Amino acid sequence: MKKHLSTAETIALFQKYVVANYNRYPVSLVRGEGSLIWDAEGKRYIDFFPGWGCNLLGHSPSRIVKAVQEQVAELIHVPNTWYMEAQGLLAKELSERSGFGGQCFFCNSGAEANETAIKLARLHGQGKRYKIITMEGGFHGRTMGAVSATAQPKYHQSFQPMLPGFTFVPFGNLDAVKNAIDAETSAILVEPIQGEGGIRIPPQDYLSGLRKVADQHNLLLMFDEVQAGMGRTGQWFGYQNFGVTPDVMTLAKSLAGGMAMGAVVARAEVGATLKPGMHACTFGGNPVAARAALAYIETIEQEQLLQRAITIGSHFKERFSRLQKKCSLIRDVRILGCMIGIELDREGTTVVQQCLDRHLLVNCTQGNVIRLLPALNLHDKQLEEGCQILEDVLQSLSKQG
């Protein structure tokens, strides 16, 4: 087995050579397999938040490893001035699953995908309409356009002025959207299920209501599926839980099973407004990432993991809704497939740390929501073991008051 630096040695490297713009736990992770991951000292962890949601098949899934190995031995990168078989095949797979037959643009991340959507909205406005309505509590990325679209003041601090043209309204409030539309509005951008915002699920008729409003006012309806998409909710895309389709959707995170990749899928007439020279991405849709994404889709379907997402989500729902009745610190349990949020009556950092101490990796968002995005191929034994650790931590803290 490969010998790794100790955790202390790796931390020393970071302290000297890496920009300290992330809060990091003092753990150096070196190897993963499915929902298990090991640190440099050989300690084993169960990962309920693999890769910040990018590893929806867990760590190093075999089909993706094989696809990447075969592709890098054949062709790693060519520019988008040439045709690439894998990119074309992937676009076909995404289009056929979208429900609206869109065409694809490929990039490297969710923020880049949302930047592309913002440009499509401006093109749709034809120089006269440029405003985009987005939702409070939403999150669309950290580039200047994407962070300007993110209606959370904490992400705007120190970077003013923001890109103009974004109007913020409460999530789930259809009347607020209607009232915000003016002669310069070109689009609505919304996450079907807010992820970073605390796993917030809208009323059942909200997205279909947005569809009607967009059609009435000739607005683009754009869904940010960066976190919810690619099977996490038990449907290929989160909006498919609500019986509605967008004009544009953005994808990233789990799209290529842990490899860096983003995509925009747009109705053909919308995508056609983007002419050569208007927009580009050097590495977007490269053969390696595209092959990984094709292997990801194949794995989901051959192992019937959309249904598994629903099964795992139901287990969490039953278990933590039952715990809520006897555990005063749990305010709410919000779950759709493998998007899981447990809202607490207090800051969640202690829960995250105590879970880490017991070798379970979880995340806290919005200060008090324990966010879990487990892999769809999470084994029953690891599901039980991880849930028991989290349950024990929550009960212990609840008893302490």
Side-chain angles (χ1 to χ4, degrees):
M1 186 175 293
K2 180 181 177 181
K3 181 174 173 55
H4 295 280
L5 297 176
S6 71
T7 294
E9 289 169 330
T10 298
I11 290 174
L13 283 176
F14 271 62
Q15 289 174 337
K16 188 169 184 179
Y17 297 112
V18 179
V19 173
N21 65 316
Y22 294 102
N23 291 318
R24 299 178 191 267
Y25 293 97
V27 177
S28 175
L29 300 173
V30 297
R31 182 172 68 87
E33 182 179 333
S35 292
L36 299 178
I37 195 163
W38 287 263
D39 68 14
E41 282 69 39
K43 295 175 188 169
R44 164 192 174 275
Y45 302 81
I46 296 174
D47 197 349
F48 275 5
F49 197 69
W52 281 80
C54 296
N55 301 339
L56 197 46
L57 295 180
H59 297 281
S60 301
S62 59
R63 280 194 179 92
I64 291 177
V65 170
K66 183 172 184 290
V68 168
Q69 288 174 334
E70 290 177 353
Q71 185 59 51
V72 296
E74 194 169 64
L75 187 67
I76 295 177
H77 176 70
V78 290
N80 277 301
T81 47
W82 307 98
Y83 291 100
M84 286 171 269
E85 175 186 273
Q87 186 181 130
L89 291 172
L90 177 59
K92 175 177 180 289
E93 297 295 328
L94 294 175
S95 176
E96 290 179 349
R97 287 162 180 74
S98 72
F100 59 93
Q103 292 186 328
C104 299
F105 169 82
F106 291 101
C107 49
N108 303 303
S109 68
E112 289 182 28
N114 284 324
E115 291 285 346
T116 308
I118 292 166
K119 281 190 171 181
L120 287 173
R122 296 233 174 171
L123 288 171
H124 182 69
Q126 298 181 321
K128 300 173 183 174
R129 298 183 294 149
Y130 67 101
K131 293 180 180 175
I132 301 174
I133 297 172
T134 69
M135 311 304 158
E136 294 174 1
F139 182 82
H140 301 291
R142 302 203 187 236
T143 55
M144 281 307 298
V147 79
S148 298
T150 296
Q152 297 193 56
K154 64 182 179 183
Y155 292 118
H156 298 174
Q157 290 176 7
S158 305
F159 299 111
Q160 300 285 0
M162 293 289 105
L163 186 73
F166 294 98
T167 304
F168 305 141
V169 300
F171 181 66
N173 187 330
L174 197 55
D175 288 336
V177 174
K178 295 175 183 174
N179 293 334
I181 295 170
D182 62 25
E184 295 176 322
T185 305
S186 66
I188 301 167
L189 173 62
V190 60
E191 295 164 276
I193 302 106
Q194 288 191 339
E196 193 271 353
I199 313 296
R200 298 177 66 201
I201 303 167
Q204 187 63 35
D205 60 353
Y206 178 60
L207 297 182
S208 59
L210 291 180
R211 178 73 273 172
K212 291 178 183 174
V213 170
D215 291 341
Q216 289 168 355
H217 294 272
N218 188 26
L219 311 179
L220 289 185
L221 181 60
M222 308 193 297
F223 288 161
D224 179 337
E225 289 270 354
V226 169
Q227 188 166 132
M230 298 310 297
R232 194 181 305 280
T233 67
Q235 300 279 350
W236 274 111
F237 309 110
Y239 62 80
Q240 291 169 334
N241 292 283
F242 301 92
V244 62
T245 56
D247 301 303
V248 176
M249 74 168 163
T250 57
L251 300 167
K253 286 200 180 290
S254 57
L255 172 58
M259 295 287 290
M261 188 176 218
V264 176
V265 186
R267 284 194 297 106
E269 57 268 38
V270 176
T273 61
L274 206 57
K275 307 296 184 187
M278 283 181 166
H279 194 54
C281 180
T282 298
F283 288 103
N286 74 73
V288 180
R291 284 290 174 199
L294 288 167
Y296 174 86
I297 291 171
E298 178 184 271
T299 303
I300 292 284
E301 297 197 331
Q302 291 195 0
E303 298 184 11
Q304 300 181 341
L305 294 178
L306 295 181
Q307 181 57 45
R308 178 64 177 164
I310 295 170
T311 301
I312 292 172
S314 296
H315 182 92
F316 274 97
K317 183 71 174 178
E318 180 182 348
R319 185 154 188 159
F320 287 93
S321 293
R322 186 171 64 238
L323 182 64
Q324 183 183 7
K325 295 175 182 174
K326 56 182 179 181
C327 196
S328 60
L329 87 168
I330 299 178
R331 278 183 178 165
D332 195 14
V333 177
R334 298 187 289 270
I335 295 175
L336 187 57
C338 281
M339 291 189 79
I340 298 161
I342 302 171
E343 183 176 330
L344 310 178
D345 67 354
R346 65 195 69 179
E347 291 287 318
T349 52
T350 302
V351 174
V352 175
Q353 184 60 55
Q354 291 197 6
C355 285
L356 176 61
D357 294 342
R358 300 182 193 198
H359 296 179
L360 173 67
L361 306 186
V362 302
N363 170 258
C364 178
T365 188
Q366 296 297 308
N368 68 334
V369 179
I370 301 303
R371 178 173 48 160
L372 312 175
L373 301 173
L376 304 188
N377 52 1
L378 174 65
H379 292 176
D380 285 344
K381 184 177 179 181
Q382 294 152 9
L383 171 62
E384 173 60 30
E385 183 180 346
C387 282
Q388 190 61 56
I389 292 171
L390 179 56
E391 189 171 317
D392 289 346
V393 168
L394 293 173
Q395 288 202 89
S396 174
L397 291 171
S398 186
K399 288 177 182 175
Q400 293 172 20

